[in-house]
Amino acid sequence: QGPARHPRADDPPVHSFACMPGSLLSLYINNRAGGLIFHRDFNASAAKLDTNEHLRLASTFSGLALIMRQLSPTKGSSGMDLLEADGFVLQSFDTLTGIKFFVTAEPDAKNLDAVLREVYTHYADFVLKNPFYEMDMPIQKGGRFCQKLDKIIEEHQRMQDRR
């Protein structure tokens, strides 16, 4: 083992919400083509994946959601919004422009759709209104969007703790 690496300013914080009920685990944002443009882990319990695995996971989810939309007997179905498993839940939110937001969380997490809508609001305010941002390109870590994201996560955890 080499010397311990000190965190850099551009390293995303990993909040210590581990083992807290209802904790958010990870956030993913996919572009219109289903490619991952932003990922952030919020919890030490989040799946430990490398960059390629995160890319593969995000594109697989987009493909699966598209298949669900096509298989739906209901015309105009948005596809898959919620996936519940024994160890986690996955909630997604599709924008009118085709951007897909999805979050993974502990199974008892509540109000995930509201969290995703708030993330989308800040995405519109701090990413899309940035004159240097190009649509469908990766979102730069740090900056106002990530600061707002931290506040959303902290507020969500406070609300979960009150339950």
PDB file of all heavy atoms in Angstrom, residues 109-137:
ATOM      1  N   ALA A 109     -37.339   3.882   1.587  1.00  0.00           N
ATOM      2  CA  ALA A 109     -37.256   5.310   1.253  1.00  0.00           C
ATOM      3  C   ALA A 109     -38.591   5.787   0.696  1.00  0.00           C
ATOM      4  O   ALA A 109     -39.257   5.080  -0.051  1.00  0.00           O
ATOM      5  CB  ALA A 109     -36.141   5.559   0.249  1.00  0.00           C
ATOM      6  N   LYS A 110     -38.968   6.988   1.054  1.00  0.00           N
ATOM      7  CA  LYS A 110     -40.232   7.585   0.612  1.00  0.00           C
ATOM      8  C   LYS A 110     -39.956   8.860  -0.173  1.00  0.00           C
ATOM      9  O   LYS A 110     -38.891   9.447  -0.074  1.00  0.00           O
ATOM     10  CB  LYS A 110     -41.114   7.927   1.823  1.00  0.00           C
ATOM     11  CG  LYS A 110     -41.398   6.774   2.732  1.00  0.00           C
ATOM     12  CD  LYS A 110     -42.310   5.772   2.077  1.00  0.00           C
ATOM     13  CE  LYS A 110     -42.653   4.654   3.044  1.00  0.00           C
ATOM     14  NZ  LYS A 110     -42.554   3.366   2.468  1.00  0.00           N
ATOM     15  N   ASN A 111     -40.950   9.289  -0.945  1.00  0.00           N
ATOM     16  CA  ASN A 111     -40.915  10.563  -1.677  1.00  0.00           C
ATOM     17  C   ASN A 111     -39.774  10.671  -2.676  1.00  0.00           C
ATOM     18  O   ASN A 111     -39.248  11.765  -2.908  1.00  0.00           O
ATOM     19  CB  ASN A 111     -40.874  11.745  -0.706  1.00  0.00           C
ATOM     20  CG  ASN A 111     -42.065  11.763   0.211  1.00  0.00           C
ATOM     21  OD1 ASN A 111     -43.187  11.472  -0.211  1.00  0.00           O
ATOM     22  ND2 ASN A 111     -41.838  12.075   1.471  1.00  0.00           N
ATOM     23  N   LEU A 112     -39.390   9.574  -3.276  1.00  0.00           N
ATOM     24  CA  LEU A 112     -38.290   9.612  -4.238  1.00  0.00           C
ATOM     25  C   LEU A 112     -38.663  10.392  -5.490  1.00  0.00           C
ATOM     26  O   LEU A 112     -37.806  11.045  -6.088  1.00  0.00           O
ATOM     27  CB  LEU A 112     -37.842   8.191  -4.600  1.00  0.00           C
ATOM     28  CG  LEU A 112     -37.271   7.374  -3.445  1.00  0.00           C
ATOM     29  CD1 LEU A 112     -36.944   5.967  -3.907  1.00  0.00           C
ATOM     30  CD2 LEU A 112     -36.058   8.054  -2.843  1.00  0.00           C
ATOM     31  N   ASP A 113     -39.931  10.337  -5.896  1.00  0.00           N
ATOM     32  CA  ASP A 113     -40.351  11.096  -7.061  1.00  0.00           C
ATOM     33  C   ASP A 113     -40.196  12.594  -6.821  1.00  0.00           C
ATOM     34  O   ASP A 113     -39.759  13.332  -7.703  1.00  0.00           O
ATOM     35  CB  ASP A 113     -41.775  10.747  -7.475  1.00  0.00           C
ATOM     36  CG  ASP A 113     -42.789  10.918  -6.347  1.00  0.00           C
ATOM     37  OD1 ASP A 113     -42.396  10.878  -5.168  1.00  0.00           O
ATOM     38  OD2 ASP A 113     -43.982  11.074  -6.655  1.00  0.00           O
ATOM     39  N   ALA A 114     -40.483  13.057  -5.601  1.00  0.00           N
ATOM     40  CA  ALA A 114     -40.307  14.477  -5.266  1.00  0.00           C
ATOM     41  C   ALA A 114     -38.825  14.855  -5.273  1.00  0.00           C
ATOM     42  O   ALA A 114     -38.461  15.941  -5.726  1.00  0.00           O
ATOM     43  CB  ALA A 114     -40.929  14.786  -3.905  1.00  0.00           C
ATOM     44  N   VAL A 115     -37.977  13.948  -4.798  1.00  0.00           N
ATOM     45  CA  VAL A 115     -36.527  14.203  -4.816  1.00  0.00           C
ATOM     46  C   VAL A 115     -36.058  14.355  -6.263  1.00  0.00           C
ATOM     47  O   VAL A 115     -35.327  15.295  -6.593  1.00  0.00           O
ATOM     48  CB  VAL A 115     -35.756  13.060  -4.115  1.00  0.00           C
ATOM     49  CG1 VAL A 115     -34.259  13.168  -4.370  1.00  0.00           C
ATOM     50  CG2 VAL A 115     -36.050  13.049  -2.628  1.00  0.00           C
ATOM     51  N   LEU A 116     -36.507  13.464  -7.142  1.00  0.00           N
ATOM     52  CA  LEU A 116     -36.088  13.527  -8.541  1.00  0.00           C
ATOM     53  C   LEU A 116     -36.581  14.795  -9.229  1.00  0.00           C
ATOM     54  O   LEU A 116     -35.867  15.386 -10.036  1.00  0.00           O
ATOM     55  CB  LEU A 116     -36.559  12.287  -9.298  1.00  0.00           C
ATOM     56  CG  LEU A 116     -35.796  11.004  -8.950  1.00  0.00           C
ATOM     57  CD1 LEU A 116     -36.462   9.804  -9.596  1.00  0.00           C
ATOM     58  CD2 LEU A 116     -34.343  11.108  -9.362  1.00  0.00           C
ATOM     59  N   ARG A 117     -37.776  15.223  -8.907  1.00  0.00           N
ATOM     60  CA  ARG A 117     -38.302  16.469  -9.495  1.00  0.00           C
ATOM     61  C   ARG A 117     -37.498  17.679  -9.021  1.00  0.00           C
ATOM     62  O   ARG A 117     -37.236  18.596  -9.799  1.00  0.00           O
ATOM     63  CB  ARG A 117     -39.778  16.632  -9.182  1.00  0.00           C
ATOM     64  CG  ARG A 117     -40.626  15.646  -9.945  1.00  0.00           C
ATOM     65  CD  ARG A 117     -42.110  15.767  -9.625  1.00  0.00           C
ATOM     66  NE  ARG A 117     -42.860  14.681 -10.203  1.00  0.00           N
ATOM     67  CZ  ARG A 117     -43.237  14.638 -11.473  1.00  0.00           C
ATOM     68  NH1 ARG A 117     -42.944  15.598 -12.293  1.00  0.00           N
ATOM     69  NH2 ARG A 117     -43.915  13.595 -11.930  1.00  0.00           N
ATOM     70  N   GLU A 118     -37.082  17.653  -7.769  1.00  0.00           N
ATOM     71  CA  GLU A 118     -36.261  18.746  -7.256  1.00  0.00           C
ATOM     72  C   GLU A 118     -34.876  18.729  -7.905  1.00  0.00           C
ATOM     73  O   GLU A 118     -34.331  19.775  -8.251  1.00  0.00           O
ATOM     74  CB  GLU A 118     -36.154  18.660  -5.736  1.00  0.00           C
ATOM     75  CG  GLU A 118     -35.556  19.896  -5.124  1.00  0.00           C
ATOM     76  CD  GLU A 118     -35.625  19.911  -3.612  1.00  0.00           C
ATOM     77  OE1 GLU A 118     -36.219  19.006  -3.006  1.00  0.00           O
ATOM     78  OE2 GLU A 118     -35.053  20.855  -3.033  1.00  0.00           O
ATOM     79  N   VAL A 119     -34.312  17.550  -8.083  1.00  0.00           N
ATOM     80  CA  VAL A 119     -33.022  17.429  -8.783  1.00  0.00           C
ATOM     81  C   VAL A 119     -33.174  17.980 -10.200  1.00  0.00           C
ATOM     82  O   VAL A 119     -32.312  18.738 -10.676  1.00  0.00           O
ATOM     83  CB  VAL A 119     -32.533  15.963  -8.812  1.00  0.00           C
ATOM     84  CG1 VAL A 119     -31.332  15.806  -9.752  1.00  0.00           C
ATOM     85  CG2 VAL A 119     -32.182  15.490  -7.414  1.00  0.00           C
ATOM     86  N   TYR A 120     -34.270  17.641 -10.863  1.00  0.00           N
ATOM     87  CA  TYR A 120     -34.509  18.133 -12.220  1.00  0.00           C
ATOM     88  C   TYR A 120     -34.604  19.654 -12.257  1.00  0.00           C
ATOM     89  O   TYR A 120     -34.050  20.295 -13.161  1.00  0.00           O
ATOM     90  CB  TYR A 120     -35.786  17.503 -12.784  1.00  0.00           C
ATOM     91  CG  TYR A 120     -36.195  18.100 -14.106  1.00  0.00           C
ATOM     92  CD1 TYR A 120     -35.369  17.986 -15.224  1.00  0.00           C
ATOM     93  CD2 TYR A 120     -37.388  18.782 -14.250  1.00  0.00           C
ATOM     94  CE1 TYR A 120     -35.731  18.536 -16.437  1.00  0.00           C
ATOM     95  CE2 TYR A 120     -37.764  19.326 -15.458  1.00  0.00           C
ATOM     96  CZ  TYR A 120     -36.928  19.207 -16.550  1.00  0.00           C
ATOM     97  OH  TYR A 120     -37.283  19.759 -17.749  1.00  0.00           O
ATOM     98  N   THR A 121     -35.268  20.240 -11.278  1.00  0.00           N
ATOM     99  CA  THR A 121     -35.375  21.703 -11.210  1.00  0.00           C
ATOM    100  C   THR A 121     -33.996  22.337 -11.124  1.00  0.00           C
ATOM    101  O   THR A 121     -33.698  23.301 -11.841  1.00  0.00           O
ATOM    102  CB  THR A 121     -36.233  22.125  -9.997  1.00  0.00           C
ATOM    103  OG1 THR A 121     -37.536  21.581 -10.156  1.00  0.00           O
ATOM    104  CG2 THR A 121     -36.310  23.631  -9.866  1.00  0.00           C
ATOM    105  N   HIS A 122     -33.146  21.791 -10.281  1.00  0.00           N
ATOM    106  CA  HIS A 122     -31.790  22.340 -10.145  1.00  0.00           C
ATOM    107  C   HIS A 122     -30.936  22.041 -11.375  1.00  0.00           C
ATOM    108  O   HIS A 122     -30.069  22.841 -11.741  1.00  0.00           O
ATOM    109  CB  HIS A 122     -31.130  21.837  -8.867  1.00  0.00           C
ATOM    110  CG  HIS A 122     -31.782  22.375  -7.634  1.00  0.00           C
ATOM    111  ND1 HIS A 122     -31.953  23.719  -7.397  1.00  0.00           N
ATOM    112  CD2 HIS A 122     -32.337  21.754  -6.578  1.00  0.00           C
ATOM    113  CE1 HIS A 122     -32.569  23.897  -6.252  1.00  0.00           C
ATOM    114  NE2 HIS A 122     -32.821  22.713  -5.731  1.00  0.00           N
ATOM    115  N   TYR A 123     -31.175  20.906 -12.021  1.00  0.00           N
ATOM    116  CA  TYR A 123     -30.501  20.593 -13.281  1.00  0.00           C
ATOM    117  C   TYR A 123     -30.844  21.671 -14.319  1.00  0.00           C
ATOM    118  O   TYR A 123     -29.961  22.195 -14.996  1.00  0.00           O
ATOM    119  CB  TYR A 123     -30.942  19.209 -13.757  1.00  0.00           C
ATOM    120  CG  TYR A 123     -30.602  18.879 -15.185  1.00  0.00           C
ATOM    121  CD1 TYR A 123     -29.327  18.448 -15.545  1.00  0.00           C
ATOM    122  CD2 TYR A 123     -31.568  18.980 -16.189  1.00  0.00           C
ATOM    123  CE1 TYR A 123     -29.024  18.133 -16.858  1.00  0.00           C
ATOM    124  CE2 TYR A 123     -31.266  18.667 -17.501  1.00  0.00           C
ATOM    125  CZ  TYR A 123     -29.997  18.247 -17.833  1.00  0.00           C
ATOM    126  OH  TYR A 123     -29.693  17.941 -19.126  1.00  0.00           O
ATOM    127  N   ALA A 124     -32.128  22.007 -14.409  1.00  0.00           N
ATOM    128  CA  ALA A 124     -32.552  23.041 -15.362  1.00  0.00           C
ATOM    129  C   ALA A 124     -31.948  24.393 -15.013  1.00  0.00           C
ATOM    130  O   ALA A 124     -31.511  25.126 -15.901  1.00  0.00           O
ATOM    131  CB  ALA A 124     -34.079  23.127 -15.390  1.00  0.00           C
ATOM    132  N   ASP A 125     -31.901  24.716 -13.727  1.00  0.00           N
ATOM    133  CA  ASP A 125     -31.395  26.023 -13.297  1.00  0.00           C
ATOM    134  C   ASP A 125     -29.880  26.164 -13.399  1.00  0.00           C
ATOM    135  O   ASP A 125     -29.380  27.223 -13.773  1.00  0.00           O
ATOM    136  CB  ASP A 125     -31.818  26.313 -11.853  1.00  0.00           C
ATOM    137  CG  ASP A 125     -33.286  26.645 -11.728  1.00  0.00           C
ATOM    138  OD1 ASP A 125     -33.928  26.948 -12.756  1.00  0.00           O
ATOM    139  OD2 ASP A 125     -33.807  26.584 -10.595  1.00  0.00           O
ATOM    140  N   PHE A 126     -29.150  25.104 -13.047  1.00  0.00           N
ATOM    141  CA  PHE A 126     -27.704  25.252 -12.925  1.00  0.00           C
ATOM    142  C   PHE A 126     -26.891  24.531 -13.991  1.00  0.00           C
ATOM    143  O   PHE A 126     -25.715  24.815 -14.155  1.00  0.00           O
ATOM    144  CB  PHE A 126     -27.243  24.820 -11.528  1.00  0.00           C
ATOM    145  CG  PHE A 126     -27.838  25.674 -10.455  1.00  0.00           C
ATOM    146  CD1 PHE A 126     -28.854  25.193  -9.657  1.00  0.00           C
ATOM    147  CD2 PHE A 126     -27.405  26.978 -10.269  1.00  0.00           C
ATOM    148  CE1 PHE A 126     -29.425  25.986  -8.681  1.00  0.00           C
ATOM    149  CE2 PHE A 126     -27.965  27.781  -9.298  1.00  0.00           C
ATOM    150  CZ  PHE A 126     -28.977  27.288  -8.492  1.00  0.00           C
ATOM    151  N   VAL A 127     -27.491  23.608 -14.707  1.00  0.00           N
ATOM    152  CA  VAL A 127     -26.765  22.928 -15.783  1.00  0.00           C
ATOM    153  C   VAL A 127     -27.213  23.483 -17.130  1.00  0.00           C
ATOM    154  O   VAL A 127     -26.397  23.971 -17.917  1.00  0.00           O
ATOM    155  CB  VAL A 127     -26.964  21.392 -15.716  1.00  0.00           C
ATOM    156  CG1 VAL A 127     -26.285  20.714 -16.898  1.00  0.00           C
ATOM    157  CG2 VAL A 127     -26.417  20.846 -14.405  1.00  0.00           C
ATOM    158  N   LEU A 128     -28.512  23.422 -17.398  1.00  0.00           N
ATOM    159  CA  LEU A 128     -29.002  23.852 -18.710  1.00  0.00           C
ATOM    160  C   LEU A 128     -28.833  25.341 -18.965  1.00  0.00           C
ATOM    161  O   LEU A 128     -28.667  25.754 -20.110  1.00  0.00           O
ATOM    162  CB  LEU A 128     -30.472  23.462 -18.877  1.00  0.00           C
ATOM    163  CG  LEU A 128     -30.748  21.970 -18.953  1.00  0.00           C
ATOM    164  CD1 LEU A 128     -32.229  21.721 -19.165  1.00  0.00           C
ATOM    165  CD2 LEU A 128     -29.933  21.307 -20.041  1.00  0.00           C
ATOM    166  N   LYS A 129     -28.873  26.134 -17.921  1.00  0.00           N
ATOM    167  CA  LYS A 129     -28.721  27.580 -18.101  1.00  0.00           C
ATOM    168  C   LYS A 129     -27.261  28.025 -18.127  1.00  0.00           C
ATOM    169  O   LYS A 129     -26.982  29.203 -18.292  1.00  0.00           O
ATOM    170  CB  LYS A 129     -29.486  28.327 -17.004  1.00  0.00           C
ATOM    171  CG  LYS A 129     -30.989  28.172 -17.153  1.00  0.00           C
ATOM    172  CD  LYS A 129     -31.735  28.887 -16.056  1.00  0.00           C
ATOM    173  CE  LYS A 129     -33.230  28.652 -16.181  1.00  0.00           C
ATOM    174  NZ  LYS A 129     -33.964  29.244 -15.049  1.00  0.00           N
ATOM    175  N   ASN A 130     -26.352  27.078 -17.976  1.00  0.00           N
ATOM    176  CA  ASN A 130     -24.932  27.369 -18.071  1.00  0.00           C
ATOM    177  C   ASN A 130     -24.587  27.527 -19.557  1.00  0.00           C
ATOM    178  O   ASN A 130     -24.752  26.588 -20.342  1.00  0.00           O
ATOM    179  CB  ASN A 130     -24.123  26.225 -17.457  1.00  0.00           C
ATOM    180  CG  ASN A 130     -22.628  26.427 -17.550  1.00  0.00           C
ATOM    181  OD1 ASN A 130     -22.135  27.272 -18.295  1.00  0.00           O
ATOM    182  ND2 ASN A 130     -21.897  25.629 -16.804  1.00  0.00           N
ATOM    183  N   PRO A 131     -24.114  28.693 -19.964  1.00  0.00           N
ATOM    184  CA  PRO A 131     -23.849  28.917 -21.392  1.00  0.00           C
ATOM    185  C   PRO A 131     -22.736  28.026 -21.955  1.00  0.00           C
ATOM    186  O   PRO A 131     -22.626  27.875 -23.169  1.00  0.00           O
ATOM    187  CB  PRO A 131     -23.457  30.394 -21.460  1.00  0.00           C
ATOM    188  CG  PRO A 131     -23.027  30.749 -20.084  1.00  0.00           C
ATOM    189  CD  PRO A 131     -23.787  29.860 -19.154  1.00  0.00           C
ATOM    190  N   PHE A 132     -21.938  27.409 -21.087  1.00  0.00           N
ATOM    191  CA  PHE A 132     -20.849  26.562 -21.550  1.00  0.00           C
ATOM    192  C   PHE A 132     -21.225  25.081 -21.603  1.00  0.00           C
ATOM    193  O   PHE A 132     -20.448  24.262 -22.064  1.00  0.00           O
ATOM    194  CB  PHE A 132     -19.618  26.751 -20.658  1.00  0.00           C
ATOM    195  CG  PHE A 132     -19.138  28.170 -20.649  1.00  0.00           C
ATOM    196  CD1 PHE A 132     -19.347  28.969 -19.535  1.00  0.00           C
ATOM    197  CD2 PHE A 132     -18.517  28.728 -21.753  1.00  0.00           C
ATOM    198  CE1 PHE A 132     -18.927  30.290 -19.527  1.00  0.00           C
ATOM    199  CE2 PHE A 132     -18.096  30.038 -21.752  1.00  0.00           C
ATOM    200  CZ  PHE A 132     -18.303  30.826 -20.639  1.00  0.00           C
ATOM    201  N   TYR A 133     -22.422  24.753 -21.140  1.00  0.00           N
ATOM    202  CA  TYR A 133     -22.859  23.358 -21.152  1.00  0.00           C
ATOM    203  C   TYR A 133     -23.465  23.016 -22.503  1.00  0.00           C
ATOM    204  O   TYR A 133     -24.276  23.764 -23.040  1.00  0.00           O
ATOM    205  CB  TYR A 133     -23.884  23.074 -20.044  1.00  0.00           C
ATOM    206  CG  TYR A 133     -24.370  21.645 -20.075  1.00  0.00           C
ATOM    207  CD1 TYR A 133     -23.528  20.606 -19.681  1.00  0.00           C
ATOM    208  CD2 TYR A 133     -25.641  21.323 -20.521  1.00  0.00           C
ATOM    209  CE1 TYR A 133     -23.953  19.287 -19.738  1.00  0.00           C
ATOM    210  CE2 TYR A 133     -26.078  20.004 -20.576  1.00  0.00           C
ATOM    211  CZ  TYR A 133     -25.223  18.999 -20.182  1.00  0.00           C
ATOM    212  OH  TYR A 133     -25.636  17.695 -20.245  1.00  0.00           O
ATOM    213  N   GLU A 134     -23.079  21.875 -23.055  1.00  0.00           N
ATOM    214  CA  GLU A 134     -23.651  21.375 -24.306  1.00  0.00           C
ATOM    215  C   GLU A 134     -24.579  20.216 -23.986  1.00  0.00           C
ATOM    216  O   GLU A 134     -24.202  19.287 -23.265  1.00  0.00           O
ATOM    217  CB  GLU A 134     -22.543  20.914 -25.255  1.00  0.00           C
ATOM    218  CG  GLU A 134     -21.687  22.056 -25.758  1.00  0.00           C
ATOM    219  CD  GLU A 134     -20.672  21.598 -26.791  1.00  0.00           C
ATOM    220  OE1 GLU A 134     -21.028  20.736 -27.624  1.00  0.00           O
ATOM    221  OE2 GLU A 134     -19.550  22.092 -26.760  1.00  0.00           O
ATOM    222  N   MET A 135     -25.778  20.275 -24.532  1.00  0.00           N
ATOM    223  CA  MET A 135     -26.799  19.261 -24.272  1.00  0.00           C
ATOM    224  C   MET A 135     -26.262  17.863 -24.535  1.00  0.00           C
ATOM    225  O   MET A 135     -25.523  17.641 -25.495  1.00  0.00           O
ATOM    226  CB  MET A 135     -28.008  19.543 -25.171  1.00  0.00           C
ATOM    227  CG  MET A 135     -29.235  18.813 -24.768  1.00  0.00           C
ATOM    228  SD  MET A 135     -29.821  19.455 -23.206  1.00  0.00           S
ATOM    229  CE  MET A 135     -31.404  18.706 -23.166  1.00  0.00           C
ATOM    230  N   ASP A 136     -26.623  16.928 -23.676  1.00  0.00           N
ATOM    231  CA  ASP A 136     -26.271  15.507 -23.756  1.00  0.00           C
ATOM    232  C   ASP A 136     -24.813  15.203 -23.437  1.00  0.00           C
ATOM    233  O   ASP A 136     -24.389  14.051 -23.531  1.00  0.00           O
ATOM    234  CB  ASP A 136     -26.622  14.904 -25.127  1.00  0.00           C
ATOM    235  CG  ASP A 136     -28.115  14.825 -25.367  1.00  0.00           C
ATOM    236  OD1 ASP A 136     -28.876  14.739 -24.380  1.00  0.00           O
ATOM    237  OD2 ASP A 136     -28.521  14.845 -26.541  1.00  0.00           O
ATOM    238  N   MET A 137     -24.047  16.195 -23.043  1.00  0.00           N
ATOM    239  CA  MET A 137     -22.655  15.968 -22.657  1.00  0.00           C
ATOM    240  C   MET A 137     -22.579  15.727 -21.155  1.00  0.00           C
ATOM    241  O   MET A 137     -23.486  16.097 -20.417  1.00  0.00           O
ATOM    242  CB  MET A 137     -21.785  17.173 -23.052  1.00  0.00           C
ATOM    243  CG  MET A 137     -21.723  17.399 -24.560  1.00  0.00           C
ATOM    244  SD  MET A 137     -21.160  15.952 -25.488  1.00  0.00           S
ATOM    245  CE  MET A 137     -19.487  15.841 -24.951  1.00  0.00           C
TER     246      MET A 137
END
